[in-house]
Amino acid sequence: MIRKILPWSRTVWVLSLSTLARSVGHGIVVTISVLYFTRSVGIAAGQVGLGLTLAAVAGMVASIPAGRLADVVGARDASVGYVLLQAVALCGYALVGGFGGFLLTASLVAIAESGSTAARGALVARVVPGADRLRTRAYLRSVTNVGFSLGTVAGGIALDAGTHAVYTAELLVGGAVFVLAGLVLLALPKPPPASADQGGPRWAVLRDRPYVAVGLLNAVLITNSGILNVALPIWIAERTDAPTSVFAVLLLVNTVLVVLGQVPVSRGAEDVSGGARAMRRSGLWLAACCVLFAFAAGRPSWLAVGVLAVGVVVHTIGELLYSAGSWALSYELAPEHAHGQYQGMFGLTTQLGTAITPAITTLLIIGHGTVGWAVLAALLAAAGLAAPAVAGWAERTRPHTVVPAPADA
């Protein structure tokens, strides 16, 4: 039984250890950063929100160039470099004394995060055989959820203490864990740089309209994260008779189901057609969860809790299918010599969807109630139903290339 839940190769062991360390550090920083800047440093909440928004824009702008750099210098070395840069920037949070320093440091963190995401995606493509890529990404997502949960628990220590010294210590610990996450990757073999431009345009992904269209569908379906983390707690508090505290339980249910379910749910989505089917089913499941969440309004407390619980299970199934489908399409539709910039583009659409989701969900759902849920459900269902046709268009436009063997593990 234990063997079934452990990594199945040396390469996956290394990737898993790095991912665990990185997600623990991320959990620590996410848990404490906003309160650290507002309560300990004394930056106004509005300025923190503005700074994080501008930093997110900087990360999106850097995503494709950072991914291309990974193609040029090599995915492993780029992955290590970006994670170490992020570690230094996170430690720099401890030195921030005002808005200007906060904006600069947060922007460096966001740029490094974008580069790291693109480079790690390219690294998996280079060191993991094609048939195992989806399984590996699914496994790493489960590891990510475990690590993030551990990091939030550790970050809670600082929240309880509430002192500047403890906040600073936690930030430095988070940065140190990121250093570990980067150095672990040096245990992987160094694949040669993948980019040779193949006689085509240097920024090929910007001219690849079918791939960009797939990315736009990805931007719509990634709103599932905002539904759970932003819209649902506000909906529970303002529009249902369920106790607000139930949200923490529902979030725990989602986390456990993701950890246990990502690998099995991803089976069958290893190629373009399988990934497109997963995206289609994801849109429909996510639309169904919107209907369930809307139905909870105005019900007795016990019924509202039950409906919300079912809705979270349905949402999680859609979330798992989305992850599997998006990974498959992002890999299988990308040229082998340009995974960095293609993963950068896909990461950009993910960041775009994540950035606009809070505004969209609060505008639709909190502003218009059940009608807003219906609009969001229709949008998700439409994106899911469009996925097979758009993915098929993209697949037909792929050049036929010889796929290089991954580096030996």
Side-chain angles (χ1 to χ4, degrees), residues 283-375:
L284 297 176
W285 279 96
L286 292 172
C289 89
C290 292
V291 175
L292 287 166
F293 291 151
F295 182 75
R299 311 299 166 189
S301 177
W302 65 270
L303 181 56
V305 171
V307 172
L308 291 169
V310 174
V312 166
V313 173
V314 171
H315 173 280
T316 305
I317 296 172
E319 178 186 350
L320 296 174
L321 288 167
Y322 156 75
S323 295
S326 64
W327 293 329
L329 297 183
S330 69
Y331 277 125
E332 297 302 313
L333 295 173
E336 290 294 327
H337 69 280
H339 269 292
Q341 63 172 290
Y342 272 72
Q343 292 299 316
M345 168 61 80
F346 219 80
L348 187 155
T349 62
T350 299
Q351 293 168 2
L352 175 62
T354 303
I356 65 176
T357 294
I360 291 177
T361 54
T362 53
L363 175 65
L364 286 176
I365 295 166
I366 306 307
H368 300 283
T370 300
V371 173
W373 280 114
V375 171

Side-chain angles (χ1 to χ4, degrees), residues 19-44:
T19 298
L20 181 64
R22 185 167 173 260
S23 55
V24 167
H26 186 61
I28 292 173
V29 174
V30 168
T31 302
I32 70 174
S33 57
V34 172
L35 292 179
Y36 165 72
F37 289 122
T38 56
R39 294 181 178 179
S40 186
V41 179
I43 302 174

Side-chain angles (χ1 to χ4, degrees), residues 52-392:
L52 291 176
T53 299
L54 294 175
V57 172
M60 284 188 277
V61 171
S63 188
I64 296 176
R68 173 163 170 78
L69 181 61
D71 290 330
V72 173
V73 305
R76 191 200 68 173
D77 290 351
S79 295
V80 173
Y82 287 132
V83 175
L84 294 181
L85 173 61
Q86 193 169 5
V88 172
L90 289 172
C91 291
Y93 276 161
L95 303 176
V96 168
F99 177 73
F102 162 65
L103 177 60
L104 175 61
T105 309
S107 297
L108 287 175
V109 170
I111 291 170
E113 174 70 19
S114 292
S116 177
T117 299
R120 288 171 73 90
L123 180 61
V124 171
R126 297 289 288 164
V127 300
V128 176
D132 286 339
R133 287 174 186 168
L134 183 62
R135 180 188 178 197
T136 300
R137 286 296 296 265
Y139 186 83
L140 294 179
R141 185 172 187 232
S142 295
V143 172
T144 296
N145 277 268
V146 172
F148 188 81
S149 298
L150 294 174
T152 57
V153 172
I157 297 173
L159 297 184
D160 286 337
T163 66
H164 183 81
V166 175
Y167 277 128
T168 301
E170 289 264 16
L171 288 171
L172 295 177
V173 169
V177 174
F178 267 86
V179 171
L180 177 62
L183 295 180
V184 165
L185 293 176
L186 294 174
L188 291 173
K190 181 179 179 180
S195 179
D197 291 331
Q198 302 291 306
R202 178 170 297 182
W203 300 99
V205 70
L206 297 178
R207 305 187 184 191
D208 194 338
R209 288 181 295 175
Y211 193 89
V212 173
V214 171
L216 292 177
L217 293 181
N218 173 67
V220 174
L221 292 174
I222 189 59
T223 57
N224 73 80
S225 62
I227 291 173
L228 186 67
N229 298 325
V230 178
L232 186 58
I234 300 175
W235 181 254
I236 291 173
E238 296 189 4
R239 298 296 186 94
T240 78
D241 291 326
T244 305
S245 60
V246 78
F247 174 69
V249 178
L250 296 176
L251 202 58
L252 178 62
V253 169
N254 170 262
T255 301
V256 172
L257 290 177
V258 169
V259 171
L260 298 177
Q262 188 63 75
V263 173
V265 169
S266 299
R267 295 189 186 114
E270 291 82 6
D271 56 15
V272 173
S273 60
R277 286 194 301 271
M279 294 281 269
R280 180 188 64 203
R281 293 164 58 199
S282 169
L284 297 176
W285 279 96
L286 292 172
C289 89
C290 292
V291 175
L292 287 166
F293 291 151
F295 182 75
R299 311 299 166 189
S301 177
W302 65 270
L303 181 56
V305 171
V307 172
L308 291 169
V310 174
V312 166
V313 173
V314 171
H315 173 280
T316 305
I317 296 172
E319 178 186 350
L320 296 174
L321 288 167
Y322 156 75
S323 295
S326 64
W327 293 329
L329 297 183
S330 69
Y331 277 125
E332 297 302 313
L333 295 173
E336 290 294 327
H337 69 280
H339 269 292
Q341 63 172 290
Y342 272 72
Q343 292 299 316
M345 168 61 80
F346 219 80
L348 187 155
T349 62
T350 299
Q351 293 168 2
L352 175 62
T354 303
I356 65 176
T357 294
I360 291 177
T361 54
T362 53
L363 175 65
L364 286 176
I365 295 166
I366 306 307
H368 300 283
T370 300
V371 173
W373 280 114
V375 171
L376 186 57
L379 182 64
L380 291 165
L385 291 172
V390 176

